[in-house]
C-alpha cells in the first residue's frame, strides 16, 4: 500500500472546513459561530484552521466565494441583457436557497472593523468581478449591445451594488428586481 | 428663581449623548465604543442612555440620522438631475468630512446580527427616503423631467445602493461617482 498522500489529506480537510463554516453560519448566524465550532464540525483541530486562514472571517469568505464562483461566470450568448439576467438571477437564487447570503452578510459586517478582511473581499470578490464584467462589456461594445460610450464601471457598481444594498437591508430580493434593474440601467429614466 | 425645567434638562442630555456617540465612533471606530464610554463623555450615567435607547446601535443610529437629515432634503429647482446631484454630493461630503460614515457603517454591520436595529434603520432612514424621493419623482413625471413610465423605486435603490456599496467596501466615493451614476441612470447604456 502506498503511503497516504499529504496533499490529498489536506485537500480533504480544507473542503471539510469550508463546508462546516458555511453550514454553521447558515444554522447559527455568523456572530454565533467560532473557529472552534468550525474545527469541531470539520473533525480537525483549531490550529489546522489557523494554519490556512488568518481569521474566522477569512474562512467564511472563502466558503462563500466557493459557492459564489460557479454562479458569477459571464456567459456570452451575444445579448448582454440576457447574459447579465442569467448571472444576476443566479446570485439571487444562491442567496434565497443557500447559506451564501448569511455568510456574505457576516463577512461584510465583520469587514467594517477588519480592514484586512475587507481588503480580501476586494481582491477575491470585487476585482475578479470587475475583470470579468469589463471583458464581457468590451465585447458588448464591439457588437453594439451597449453604446460605445457606456460607463461600464458605473454599470457594474449599480448592478452588484443594488443586490448588496437589498441584502444588507433585508429587503426582498427576487428575479423581478433584477429585471427592473436591467431595464433601468439599459434604458434610463429620461 | 423658577424651578429647573426637566424637559429642557432632558433635551440637553440627549444632545450631549448623541454628540458624544458620534464623536467617539469617529475617534475609536464603532466596535471600540461602549455605552459606558458614551455616558462618561456625555457626563451622564449609563442608565440615562438605556432609558431612551435600547442599545448602542440605536444611539449611534439616532446620532447618524441627526447629521444626515439636513442633507437628505429633496430640493425642487425644476430639474431633477440638478436636485439629486446636490443631495447626493451632500451625502458624499458628509461621509468625507464627518463621522457619519463611520457611524452608519457600524450600525449596518451591527444590524446584520440585530434585526431590531436593521428594522430601525429601515423605518428611520429608508422609509422617509422612499417617501421624499417618490414625492419629488412624481413632480418630475408631471413636468417631463423623467419618463412617465420611469421606475422610481428602482432608481432610488440604485442611487442610494451604490453609495452604500462603495462605502461598505471602502471604495473611493467622490462627486464624480455621483455624476457618473446620474448620467447612467438617466440616459441608460443602450
Amino acid at each position: 500500500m502506498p503511503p497516504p498522500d499529504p496533499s490529498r489529506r489536506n485537500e480533504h480537510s480544507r473542503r471539510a472546513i469550508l463546508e462546516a463554516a458555511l453550514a454553521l453560519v447558515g444554522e447559527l448566524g455568523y456572530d454565533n459561530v467560532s473557529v472552534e465550532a468550525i474545527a469541531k464540525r470539520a473533525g480537525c483541530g483549531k490550529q489546522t484552521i489557523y494554519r490556512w486562514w488568518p481569521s474566522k472571517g477569512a474562512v467564511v469568505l472563502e466558503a462563500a466565494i466557493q459557492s459564489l464562483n460557479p454562479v458569477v461566470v459571464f456567459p456570452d450568448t451575444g445579448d448582454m441583457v440576457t447574459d447579465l439576467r442569467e448571472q444576476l438571477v443566479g446570485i439571487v437564487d444562491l442567496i434565497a436557497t443557500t447559506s451564501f447570503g448569511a455568510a456574505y452578510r457576516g463577512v461584510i459586517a465583520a469587514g467594517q472593523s477588519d480592514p484586512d478582511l475587507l481588503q480580501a473581499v476586494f481582491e477575491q470578490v470585487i476585482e475578479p468581478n470587475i475583470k470579468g464584467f469589463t471583458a464581457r462589456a468590451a465585447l458588448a461594445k464591439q457588437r453594439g449591445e451597449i453604446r460605445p460610450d457606456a460607463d461600464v464601471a458605473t454599470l457594474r457598481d449599480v448592478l452588484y451594488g443594488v443586490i448588496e444594498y437589498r441584502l444588507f437591508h433585508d429587503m426582498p430580493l427576487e428575479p423581478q428586481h433584477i429585471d427592473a434593474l436591467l431595464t433601468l440601467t439599459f434604458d434610463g429614466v429620461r
Side-chain angles (χ1 to χ4, degrees), chain A:
Chain A
M1 210 170 81
D5 177 346
S7 73
R8 179 168 298 183
R9 199 179 56 222
N10 282 352
E11 185 47 37
H12 179 264
S13 291
R14 285 184 72 93
R15 208 176 302 159
I17 291 164
L18 294 173
E19 274 170 24
L22 204 58
L24 282 168
V25 167
E27 289 163 27
L28 307 173
Y30 182 91
D31 277 15
N32 299 316
V33 174
S34 63
V35 169
E36 285 88 339
I38 297 172
K40 198 177 164 199
R41 173 78 64 102
C44 69
K46 205 172 128 171
Q47 71 286 1
T48 306
I49 296 185
Y50 282 120
R51 204 190 314 148
W52 290 323
W53 294 278
S55 64
K56 175 178 93 172
V59 189
V60 178
L61 173 60
E62 187 168 336
I65 288 171
Q66 213 171 55
S67 88
L68 180 64
N69 271 347
V71 172
V72 287
V73 293
F74 287 90
D76 177 15
T77 65
D79 177 49
M80 198 180 184
V81 173
T82 305
D83 294 353
L84 285 174
R85 184 180 194 281
E86 184 182 324
Q87 188 213 59
L88 297 168
V89 169
I91 297 173
V92 166
D93 284 346
L94 189 72
I95 291 168
T97 60
T98 72
S99 302
F100 167 77
Y104 194 71
R105 290 173 73 166
V107 167
I108 296 297
Q112 300 311 303
S113 52
D114 181 345
D116 290 341
L117 183 58
L118 208 57
Q119 180 66 22
V121 172
F122 193 78
E123 287 167 7
Q124 296 169 40
V125 179
I126 311 278
E127 279 184 341
N129 182 270
I130 291 175
K131 212 175 150 187
F133 193 90
T134 306
R136 179 64 187 84
L139 284 176
K141 282 193 181 184
Q142 279 173 23
R143 299 178 191 143
E145 299 166 45
I146 57 177
R147 289 209 311 258
D149 65 343
D151 180 346
V152 169
T154 301
L155 177 61
R156 197 207 65 84
D157 264 8
V158 164
L159 298 176
Y160 303 98
V162 169
I163 291 180
E164 294 201 7
Y165 179 74
R166 297 191 69 88
L167 178 64
F168 299 153
H169 285 286
D170 226 355
M171 292 157 90
L173 185 54
E174 289 166 14
Q176 74 198 56
H177 296 105
I178 300 305
D179 290 328
L181 198 50
L182 290 168
T183 300
L184 185 116
T185 51
F186 276 71
D187 296 342
V189 297
R190 184 147 49 194

